[in-house]
Amino acid sequence: QQQVKQSPQSLIVQKGGISIINCAYENTAFDYFPWYQQFPGKGPALLIAIRPDVSEKKEGRFTISFNKSAKQFSLHIMDSQPGDSATYFCAASPSLTPLVFGKGTRLSVIA
Amino acid sequence: GAVVSQHPSRVICKSGTSVKIECRSLDFQATTMFWYRQFPKQSLMLMATSNEGSKATYEQGVEKDKFLINHASLTLSTLTVTSAHPEDSSFYICSASPKGSDTQYFGPGTRLTVL
């Protein structure tokens, strides 16, 4: 019940396309859902986060869609660029407790 | 804002020696810090949660006598890998949360290689 299932494991997208990464959870106590971007040899960087009281949050080219009833949330990267090539992790937690991370998605954006 | 630093970024040591890794929140006070371990092409594995002024809470399977965590101030936590062995070689990453916040800000990580 503590797991966060992330898919796909890897993703190849053409430059300018939309990258979509999905996550699903079981624990209904989760109420904080961040996405992190990690480049090789670096620590994860917070991209965007959402709480269950909203269904969508957009920051620049990054959008989180959240479906509370389905217990799913996804990251959309619009106009994907080669510089977006990285590993993306979704995470979730109940308030003020350690994050549970998905296994990660390796995104490659090709020209 | 919300910068977390780690030192050193890379360390190589001999088997049997101890290594200390520092994690600092540079522009905020972190009541809670987390230590993770990450193997190549894998997700982050939480090792322990440390709260300022109290003992760290270790995850199941993490040896508290081997991975000593000290959170002496609101801006500094240290992880000491004692009697390191080659199997301890990994990428260690800390994160910090401001008081009352769910947001975790990660450090750049420390690559430990034990020969």
Side-chain angles (χ1 to χ4, degrees):
Chain A
Q1 198 181 23
Q2 278 293 94
Q3 283 185 324
V4 176
K5 295 183 179 179
Q6 185 172 346
S7 62
Q9 190 174 4
S10 62
L11 180 63
I12 299 174
V13 173
Q14 291 276 353
K15 179 182 174 183
I18 303 173
S19 303
I20 302 174
I21 305 170
N22 301 297
C23 284
Y25 64 97
E26 290 295 325
N27 189 345
T28 55
F30 286 161
D31 68 353
Y32 176 65
F33 304 88
W35 284 90
Y36 286 86
Q37 177 190 58
Q38 187 180 29
F39 293 104
K42 305 294 184 183
L46 178 65
L47 268 180
I48 186 171
I50 199 168
R51 292 205 181 266
D53 53 343
V54 296
S55 61
E56 185 175 283
K57 183 175 181 180
K58 184 176 181 179
E59 289 185 4
R61 296 186 295 111
F62 301 95
T63 300
I64 297 180
S65 296
F66 185 81
N67 186 327
K68 188 174 180 178
S69 61
K71 289 184 284 200
Q72 296 175 348
F73 58 110
S74 60
L75 175 70
H76 291 61
I77 305 174
M78 313 300 287
D79 187 26
S80 299
Q81 299 297 313
D84 296 329
S85 298
T87 300
Y88 293 81
F89 294 97
C90 64
S93 72
S95 184
L96 300 180
T97 61
L99 291 170
V100 177
F101 282 87
K103 291 188 181 296
T105 297
R106 300 187 76 186
L107 171 66
S108 297
V109 181
I110 56 175
Chain B
V3 178
V4 176
S5 70
Q6 270 183 252
H7 179 80
S9 59
R10 194 178 288 267
V11 58
I12 300 173
C13 69
K14 292 182 179 179
S15 186
T17 61
S18 295
V19 173
K20 180 184 283 189
I21 302 170
E22 291 187 350
C23 176
R24 292 181 185 273
S25 57
L26 299 185
D27 51 4
F28 66 97
Q29 292 187 329
T31 49
T32 307
M33 287 185 167
F34 305 88
W35 286 94
Y36 294 84
R37 185 172 180 176
Q38 187 177 37
F39 291 105
K41 298 184 181 180
Q42 292 191 22
S43 189
L44 293 86
M45 183 187 80
L46 179 66
M47 299 175 67
T49 302
S50 76
N51 292 293
E52 187 265 339
S54 61
K55 290 184 178 180
T57 302
Y58 290 81
E59 295 299 301
Q60 192 173 8
V62 178
E63 299 175 58
K64 59 181 68 177
D65 293 331
K66 180 167 185 63
F67 299 99
L68 301 178
I69 292 172
N70 185 288
H71 192 160
S73 77
L74 286 172
T75 59
L76 174 64
S77 177
T78 60
L79 167 68
T80 301
V81 183
T82 62
S83 186
H85 288 95
E87 58 265 31
D88 298 324
S89 298
S90 190
F91 192 51
Y92 292 88
I93 317 173
C94 71
S95 69
S97 289
K99 184 178 180 180
S101 172
D102 287 314
T103 304
Q104 283 189 39
Y105 300 99
F106 282 83
T110 296
R111 173 75 58 192
L112 170 63
T113 303
V114 185
L115 302 176

